[in-house]
Amino acid sequence: MRANTHFAFFDEGSKKEIRRATLKAVAIPGYQVPFASREMPIARGWGTGGLQLTLSLIGQSDVLKVIDQGADESVNAVSIKKLVQETTGVQLTDQTENADLIQSRHRIPEVPLTKDQILILQVPIPEPLRPVEASEYKTKRMHAEDDYSGAWLMLFEQIVKYGKTATYADHPVYVNGRYVMAPSPIPRFDNPKMHHSEALILLGAGREKKIYAVPPYTAVESLAFDDYPFAVESFNGQGCRLCGTGDVFLDELIDQETGKTVYQCNDTSYCMDRLNSKEKVGVTSSYA
């Protein structure tokens, strides 16, 4: 016997509490808002923060897309989609442009987002000052006093040691000229996509019980020194071995037959769309 669940899993009181925290986060860009993170049928660290945001916001007419590090068919993405669909009955899509809500782990899609969309990012560690200060009380005080010397010192130490900043993912950003924010472990390649984004960007950390946001058309600047400017990942002029594009974030792979290094689009649906448009056929099989 199977018990009926509430629409979108949560009771209405839980959804309202999460929405209140979300509204406060939107009103104060980059500020980490505490919320009463619920127990979920998935383990902490597997997207509970993002999932709670999705379940609190989704409506019956919405279309949902879920990706995990660019892939629509990973175990984590499929499990989250299955839970949301079984408790809401909403339509699912792999096409970024067709989605109303996009929940993502560690990537921002390559297709530019619009004002009618909401991007929800899963976050493991929301505090950008945690590498330099273990105390939550002290990091809250540092944010309140606009004291981000620890973040700048962390970048300076990387330059001294490696000759460049070495935060290849989760590079801290200034939001609206006020709060330093952890943008989720997205690659540096995706940081510029947050700047003046048309879509609302919400970030949820279930284990750490924090929600924060980047409202549409908000200034987002990656931390960098004047003499060591911020730079995204370089793929040395390489292109995707499947669709040929070279202006997106690529995965570096080893060809099993030749042993050579090859590159492939990280965003699977973007790559499939390009292949379909080139070959004029419906590619529906799993991503290579």
Side-chain angles (χ1 to χ4, degrees), residues 7-11 14-15 18-19 22 35-59 64-67 75-88 90 92 101-106 118-124 202-207 210-211:
F7 177 81
F9 188 76
F10 290 132
D11 61 89
S14 295
K15 293 178 191 174
I18 297 171
R19 289 174 192 151
T22 303
F35 80 110
S37 181
R38 269 62 181 176
E39 291 296 327
M40 301 294 296
I42 62 174
R44 299 285 189 186
W46 290 94
T48 57
L51 182 56
Q52 289 180 73
L53 282 169
T54 296
L55 293 172
S56 70
L57 297 173
I58 200 164
L64 175 68
K65 173 183 171 70
V66 182
I67 56 177
V75 173
N76 193 35
V78 170
S79 298
I80 290 174
K81 284 189 284 191
K82 184 177 180 181
L83 172 62
V84 177
Q85 188 180 47
E86 286 190 355
T87 58
T88 63
V90 299
L92 303 177
L101 273 72
I102 303 167
Q103 181 174 334
S104 174
R105 175 175 178 262
H106 301 179
I118 298 176
L119 174 65
I120 298 171
L121 292 173
Q122 303 168 200
V123 183
L202 302 176
L203 302 98
R207 181 175 51 200
K210 298 287 181 60
I211 291 172

Side-chain angles (χ1 to χ4, degrees), residues 199-236:
L200 168 63
I201 301 175
L202 302 176
L203 302 98
R207 181 175 51 200
E208 301 293 324
K209 303 177 176 62
K210 298 287 181 60
I211 291 172
Y212 50 109
V214 178
Y217 308 107
T218 298
V220 178
E221 299 179 9
S222 300
L223 267 64
F225 297 99
D226 291 342
D227 52 346
Y228 284 88
F230 175 78
V232 301
E233 293 88 347
S234 173
F235 300 100
N236 300 317

Side-chain angles (χ1 to χ4, degrees), residues 241 253-260 262:
R241 64 171 179 171
L253 309 172
I254 302 297
D255 189 294
Q256 297 298 320
E257 296 182 358
T258 64
K260 295 182 178 179
V262 294

Side-chain angles (χ1 to χ4, degrees), residues 140-285:
K140 282 181 176 292
R141 185 167 182 173
M142 292 165 74
H143 281 291
E145 296 176 349
D146 199 9
D147 177 9
Y148 295 115
S149 55
W152 288 107
L153 180 59
M154 178 181 67
L155 296 180
F156 176 75
E157 289 176 341
Q158 293 173 3
I159 291 172
V160 170
K161 187 173 182 179
Y162 304 108
K164 60 181 180 179
T165 57
T167 48
Y168 293 106
D170 210 13
H171 186 93
V173 295
Y174 248 125
V175 179
N176 203 33
R178 174 57 182 88
Y179 286 99
V180 168
M181 184 189 86
S184 167
I186 58 174
R188 298 161 67 103
F189 190 91
D190 286 347
N191 274 23
K193 298 177 185 177
M194 288 187 156
H195 182 62
H196 287 178
S197 167
E198 291 188 16
L200 168 63
I201 301 175
L202 302 176
L203 302 98
R207 181 175 51 200
E208 301 293 324
K209 303 177 176 62
K210 298 287 181 60
I211 291 172
Y212 50 109
V214 178
Y217 308 107
T218 298
V220 178
E221 299 179 9
S222 300
L223 267 64
F225 297 99
D226 291 342
D227 52 346
Y228 284 88
F230 175 78
V232 301
E233 293 88 347
S234 173
F235 300 100
N236 300 317
Q238 298 292 330
C240 174
R241 64 171 179 171
L242 299 178
C243 70
T245 186
D247 57 352
V248 299
F249 188 77
L250 301 173
D251 288 332
E252 184 177 309
L253 309 172
I254 302 297
D255 189 294
Q256 297 298 320
E257 296 182 358
T258 64
K260 295 182 178 179
T261 300
V262 294
Y263 294 85
Q264 195 164 295
C265 288
N266 177 266
D267 188 330
T268 58
S269 68
Y270 179 84
C271 191
M272 289 296 101
D273 285 345
R274 283 184 55 86
L275 286 172
N276 283 334
S277 63
K278 278 186 175 183
E279 299 176 11
K280 303 299 182 183
V281 296
V283 179
T284 58
S285 60

